[in-house]
Amino acid sequence: MQPVRTWRDAVFVIAFLFPALALLGLFIVWPAIWAFAQSLTNRSLTGPAALHPQFVGLENYRRLLQDSEFHASLGKSVLFVLLSAIIGQTVAGFFIAYLMARRPGWQLRFTPVFAAIFVLPLAAPETVAALAWASLTTGTPEGLLNRALSLVGAGPVQWLQQYAFPVIIVVNIWRGITFAMVFFAAAIESLPTSALEAAMIDGATAGQRLFRIVIPMLRPQILIFLMLTTITTFGIFGLVYFLTRGGPQNATEIIGIYVYKRAFQYFDIGLGSAASVVLLCLLLVLGLYYVRLMKEQV
């Protein structure tokens, strides 16, 4: 890397960085600052507080601490991320990619066919995916899942009423596992084959090659994917909202839906902004933790 030594070099660097910095500032930094400022007021969408919001200090954060629904939404978000993003997308996606990737002593037949099937969810927009799953899991006898159950004399089942939380977990896994597979398959096939061939010659089993060679060598890529999927899943909104709107009885009210309801259904912009600032702080801490883990790897 060439150091910046003259003012011409500095102007050159700033000119290249300015578009990206301007976009980051406009769409990420400024909204975060605005949300924090609103969280210190009693701003509402209707009434006198909409026209003349008052400064209330940390009152909205005190209300959050005493709000059992906020605590419940945080707990559901953590469970949702653990089951769908970490276990469902990352762990399952990695092992499926490992089975499909070509490596010394292993080549799965019909891999392009399997890849095309698994990658199909990437082509569906979020709204279309939610509508497709809503049709699939409808509680009427005409729903596809209920039709399948009727073949063995069971059902119909009200999937989005009785099993709403497991359903949104499955849908998020289905939605995100494809990207995980593409990401990990490319990483696995980029590994030097000499290390795996040497391990095979030394008599290492398939499990030993996976856990002692492949996973340690792919630790940076695994951490990057974990960071991306964890942060995006904590902030997920549309897929769950289109399916259940947080119901039934708040069973699927994750933190993104909690913020939306407080801000735009109950018109309490101050409280919704405070909840979004808390979520932002949690994600920043999580992101810094992943970055630290990646630096330890280096």
Side-chain angles (χ1 to χ4, degrees), residues 90 221-233 283 286-291 294:
T90 308
Q221 291 87 340
I222 293 172
L223 287 174
I224 289 174
F225 183 81
L226 267 176
M227 180 176 69
L228 293 176
T229 190
T230 302
I231 291 175
T232 54
T233 305
L283 294 182
L286 198 59
L288 290 173
Y289 176 70
Y290 278 122
V291 170
M294 284 186 274

Side-chain angles (χ1 to χ4, degrees), residues 4 14 23 46 53 55-57 99 104-105 110 144 190 213 232 262:
V4 178
I14 292 172
L23 290 174
T46 60
F55 178 77
V56 295
L99 288 175
F110 308 115
L144 187 59
S190 69
I213 297 176
T232 54
R262 270 35 180 201

